[in-house]
Amino acid sequence: MLKDILPTDMKVLCNHIYEYKKGVRQMVLFTFNRKYEKYALNRLQRQNISYIIQPIGNDRINLFFGRKECLDAIRLIVTRPLNQLSPEEDFILGAMLGYDICSQCERFCERKCKSCAQAQ
C-alpha cells in the first residue's frame, strides 16, 4: 500500500488534508522539505484545495492551504518570512490556524513587550 511507504512528512500532510476535509480545520500551515513539493501540490490540486507556497530557505517550504477566505487574509498578512511578522500579525495567524488562544495571548504579550523594549 502506498501510504505504508510514504515519508513521515507526507503522512502528516495527508492527516492535515483529512482534518481539513472533515471540517476540523479551516486552514493549515504545513512546513516540509522542498523535495516533496510536487507530491504535496498534486495531492492538493486533485482535491481542489486552494494553497499558497512560501519558500523559507534551507530547502524548506511553508504551505498554507484551506478555505479561500483564509488564504485571502494570509496573502495580506504574510508578506514576509514568518519570523518577521509583527506581534499583531503573528497573533492573527496563530488564531486563524486554531492555536490555543490563551497561549497566543501569552505569546503576543511577550513579543509585544520585547518589541517595545527594543524600540526604546
Side-chain angles (χ1 to χ4, degrees):
M1 185 172 187
L2 182 61
K3 278 203 170 208
D4 293 334
I5 60 173
L6 279 179
T8 302
D9 273 357
M10 294 304 95
K11 289 180 182 179
V12 171
L13 173 66
C14 291
N15 186 64
H16 285 320
I17 291 171
Y18 173 81
E19 289 180 349
Y20 170 71
K21 297 288 263 184
K22 291 294 183 183
V24 174
R25 300 169 179 257
Q26 302 301 308
M27 186 181 73
V28 174
L29 167 57
F30 179 59
T31 303
F32 65 104
N33 191 300
R34 180 179 287 281
K35 68 182 175 183
Y36 302 119
E37 180 177 8
K38 185 175 180 180
Y39 174 87
L41 299 185
N42 285 338
R43 188 94 184 196
L44 293 172
Q45 289 166 355
R46 280 195 316 267
Q47 297 189 44
N48 295 317
I49 299 174
S50 299
Y51 61 87
I52 298 171
I53 299 170
Q54 181 190 46
I56 56 174
N58 298 329
D59 291 327
R60 310 277 298 159
I61 297 172
N62 281 337
L63 176 64
F64 295 91
F65 66 89
R67 301 272 308 261
K68 180 189 177 310
E69 302 88 341
C70 296
L71 295 178
D72 288 345
I74 289 300
R75 285 184 187 91
L76 297 172
I77 296 168
V78 181
T79 58
R80 57 196 173 283
L82 297 182
N83 64 346
Q84 294 177 13
L85 295 180
S86 71
E88 292 81 5
E89 292 164 331
D90 181 79
F91 179 84
I92 293 167
L93 177 60
M96 289 175 66
L97 290 167
Y99 296 169
D100 177 76
I101 200 67
C102 291
S103 295
Q104 282 303 110
C105 290
E106 285 180 19
R107 179 177 167 88
F108 170 75
C109 291
E110 288 170 9
R111 292 191 72 211
K112 191 68 174 179
C113 289
K114 185 177 178 181
S115 69
C116 288
Q118 288 175 349
Q120 293 178 350

